[in-house]
Amino acid sequence: MTASAPAPDYAWIEQLPKVSLHDHLDGGVHPQTIVDIAAEIGHALPAQNADDLKAWFEDNANSRSLASYLETFKHTLAVMQRREDLVRIAGEHALELAFDGVLYGEVRWAPELHTAGGLSMEEAVEAVAEGFAQGAAMASQRLRKPVMVRQILCAMRQNNNSLAVAQLAVANRALGVVGFDIAGPEKEFSLQNHREALDYATQHFLPVTLHAGEAASLDSIQEAVIDGRALRLGHGVQITDDITITTLGEANPEAVTEDVDADQEVMKLGNLAAWIKDRQITLEICPCSNLQTDAAALLTDIGRLPLEQQKRARDYASHPVAMLYRSGFAVTISPDNRLMSSTSVTTEFIKLHENFGFDWPDFFQLTLNAVDGSFMPVDQKHSLRGILQDYYSTFAQAQEDLPEESA
Ligand SMILES: [Zn+2]
């Protein structure tokens, strides 16, 4: 028996200042909170204690069945129908962001799914705002971890409430609502059903991010950025369908000289992928979640096989996140559903480090990308960039100051 190597110390990644842009409130409830509230309201759960419930959520989210995945949300939504429960869960979410090192987070949720207990959508928005304020105050006063939390209101693709949700979002900027999203079954329901809501948001200067390129491909992404005027894409990971891998000799024969290898591989972008990259439309990439829902194509198949023959990425190392980032797309990293995917921005960063060798300059860049793509006012972006710059300068200096052997 050999002694196992000590677990790597990732405290430095935990401590990095972060920004989270794609973070579902109903996907990040603490198991113990679900157990507590379910007991109070008489909601039957598939497991009776927090540990078993956490395992149940992970199993169902990992089952590769969309029905099982969606089943998990029934239980989180069931305990998010009373005002006091929304306040509690929003407060805990803000604290969770602070523990994750997040300085600024945009947390999304769908008010129309929180009215079963008699709350109006407006009352639900107020409750979530109150919870975020309480959680942020506790994080900064008790933990010395300041966090700013904002709301993105989602409408559901399969329902007909999108205009009311867009109006609610515009009317509640003072409560910290900064954006509008449309979530839900992407393949089955077109954004065309939500024209009025998308027009309303744009006409009232409310920034829009749309779930697209997660369960469907290029048509859906194009619809989101062209018709939906989305400034960001919720996932957008299927943009890889518009990428082909070819040789330099084929793509650009004039660049081939005696010293330049004609057979070296180059990436060729279709018009849509070039638009997304060149306009730096933010991709809210959530690798752990993508692996659970088969959202991402297998890295080694992308651009080399016809689309219908490309397999899906099933492990972190075959997710195209590093390829998209290194080829200049505006990639940002988010957890999507902290509970179902058992993840956080910290966890994603650790996996990026372990699987793709990402290091602090990459985490700095990914976080700057998230600041740029965020829906905060530009003056606030400027000051957050300053905070990040200071942190990373000090961090880089400390790396240089380390003695050689431990650096
Ligand atoms: Zn999402």
Side-chain angles (χ1 to χ4, degrees):
M1 293 281 287
T2 51
S4 58
D9 181 3
Y10 289 131
W12 68 276
I13 295 182
E14 282 166 31
Q15 287 156 12
L16 294 176
K18 305 178 185 82
V19 169
S20 181
L21 299 182
H22 194 121
D23 208 316
H24 288 267
L25 185 63
D26 51 329
V29 191
H30 288 278
Q32 186 59 53
T33 305
I34 300 173
V35 170
D36 292 349
I37 299 173
E40 281 178 31
I41 63 174
H43 173 76
L45 289 172
Q48 301 322 310
N49 66 62
D51 287 343
D52 291 351
L53 189 62
K54 185 174 190 316
W56 180 87
F57 272 104
E58 285 168 24
D59 287 351
N60 276 265
N62 276 324
S63 63
R64 321 216 76 83
S65 143
L66 188 61
S68 304
Y69 191 82
L70 294 178
E71 167 92 8
T72 61
F73 285 90
K74 275 192 202 157
H75 296 293
T76 55
L77 288 169
V79 301
M80 298 172 76
Q81 302 299 329
R82 298 185 304 180
R83 182 173 207 290
E84 64 268 36
D85 301 332
L86 277 175
V87 174
R88 172 178 174 178
I89 287 166
E92 290 175 354
H93 203 97
L95 278 173
E96 194 62 38
L97 294 184
F99 281 121
D100 195 12
V102 172
L103 297 184
Y104 174 86
E106 292 175 359
V107 177
R108 65 187 72 196
W109 62 290
E112 64 193 83
L113 302 179
H114 299 268
T115 56
L119 287 180
S120 67
M121 292 203 294
E122 176 93 48
E123 288 167 335
V125 171
E126 287 165 10
V128 169
E130 187 178 321
F132 284 160
Q134 284 179 8
M138 190 176 289
S140 97
Q141 287 156 19
R142 299 214 196 142
L143 307 173
R144 304 257 171 263
K145 284 176 177 285
V147 58
M148 194 180 287
V149 190
R150 298 291 181 254
Q151 299 187 39
I152 291 176
L153 301 190
C154 306
M156 303 306 295
R157 276 187 189 248
Q158 68 273 32
N159 297 340
N160 300 315
N161 302 310
S162 54
L163 179 58
V165 176
Q167 289 167 337
L168 186 70
V170 167
N172 284 286
R173 286 177 146 134
L175 289 181
V177 177
V178 294
F180 177 66
D181 173 30
I182 299 181
E186 182 187 348
K187 249 193 186 137
E188 296 79 1
F189 296 90
S190 160
L191 290 174
Q192 299 308 327
N193 306 333
H194 304 287
R195 267 259 63 94
E196 261 189 290
L198 292 164
D199 287 348
Y200 184 89
T202 299
Q203 285 157 6
H204 292 79
F205 307 105
L206 182 73
V208 172
T209 174
L210 295 168
H211 275 77
E214 180 188 23
S217 183
L218 302 180
D219 288 349
S220 174
I221 295 175
Q222 176 156 339
E223 187 182 49
V225 292
I226 306 293
D227 302 329
R229 306 177 196 89
L231 301 175
R232 306 198 314 233
L233 290 167
H235 306 285
V237 67
Q238 296 201 18
I239 195 63
T240 59
D241 287 358
D242 205 25
I243 292 175
T244 41
I245 307 290
T246 179
T247 62
L248 185 65
E250 188 136 330
N252 188 5
E254 287 169 16
V256 178
T257 64
E258 256 179 41
D259 304 325
V260 178
D261 180 8
D263 291 331
Q264 67 178 286
E265 286 189 339
V266 291
M267 192 184 277
K268 205 167 127 196
L269 303 185
N271 289 338
L272 180 60
W275 177 260
I276 302 289
K277 177 184 165 181
D278 294 337
R279 305 272 75 73
Q280 291 286 282
I281 293 170
T282 302
L283 301 178
E284 303 161 357
I285 305 278
C286 312
C288 283
S289 164
N290 292 165
L291 298 173
Q292 289 177 312
T293 61
D294 279 350
L298 185 72
L299 177 61
T300 46
D301 285 356
I302 292 168
R304 301 172 198 281
L305 292 178
L307 295 183
E308 62 282 3
Q309 288 175 27
Q310 292 184 13
K311 293 183 285 299
R312 311 315 291 168
R314 293 281 166 87
D315 58 74
Y316 216 93
S318 54
H319 189 286
V321 56
M323 172 207 217
L324 289 168
Y325 165 70
R326 287 176 176 148
S327 56
F329 284 85
V331 168
T332 62
I333 301 295
S334 292
D336 204 10
N337 299 299
R338 291 170 182 266
L339 170 63
M340 286 75 175
S341 300
S342 193
T343 192
S344 61
V345 185
T346 299
T347 300
E348 301 287 347
F349 277 12
I350 290 171
K351 287 175 186 281
L352 289 168
H353 177 69
E354 290 179 337
N355 289 281
F356 301 109
F358 279 35
D359 209 337
W360 66 266
D362 302 300
F363 299 135
F364 186 21
Q365 185 60 54
L366 288 165
T367 309
L368 288 174
N369 290 352
V371 173
D372 288 346
S374 77
F375 293 155
M376 69 177 92
V378 74
D379 293 345
Q380 211 174 305
K381 286 184 183 183
H382 186 68
S383 58
L384 186 47
R385 269 191 222 104
I387 291 170
L388 293 169
Q389 183 67 58
D390 288 348
Y391 185 93
Y392 275 97
S393 301
T394 310
F395 186 88
Q397 190 60 50
Q399 303 292 302
E400 278 174 27
D401 292 344
L402 287 177
E404 270 304 302
E405 60 271 23
S406 63

